Amino acid sequence: MRPTPELPKRLTDLTPVVIVGTAIWTVALVVLFAVSDGVWVWTSFAGIVLGFIGLGIIWWQRSAARRGSKSAQRL
C-alpha cells in the first residue's frame, strides 16, 4: 500500500481563513453599529474576539512545532 501524499501548504494553512473570517466579522460590526444595536452587535464583536483567539492558538501551535515539542502537530 502506497503512503498518502502530503497536502499542499495552501490547503492546510488556517491563517488566511481565520484572518478573512475576522475581517468579515469586523465589517459586520461596523455595519451593525450604523444600522442596529443589541444582540447582533455583540455577536459580531464575539466573532472578532474569537478570531483573535484563533490566531493566538495558531501562533502557539506553530511555536511549539518549531521548538520541537512532542505534543505539537506537525505542519
Side-chain angles (χ1 to χ4, degrees):
M1 197 157 142
R2 294 184 335 187
T4 306
E6 293 283 329
L7 287 173
K9 175 79 171 157
R10 65 181 175 84
L11 294 178
T12 59
D13 189 16
L14 293 178
T15 305
V17 175
V18 175
I19 289 173
V20 168
T22 305
I24 290 171
W25 281 117
T26 304
V27 169
L29 180 67
V30 170
V31 169
L32 287 170
F33 263 138
V35 175
S36 158
D37 61 346
V39 70
W40 291 110
V41 173
W42 287 106
T43 302
S44 59
F45 179 73
I48 295 168
V49 170
L50 289 174
F52 281 111
I53 290 171
L55 287 172
I57 290 171
I58 291 170
W59 174 80
W60 183 22
Q61 185 66 38
R62 285 188 179 166
S63 65
R66 278 192 301 272
R67 273 195 322 268
S69 176
K70 291 182 180 182
S71 62
Q73 296 177 4
R74 303 292 177 228
L75 300 175

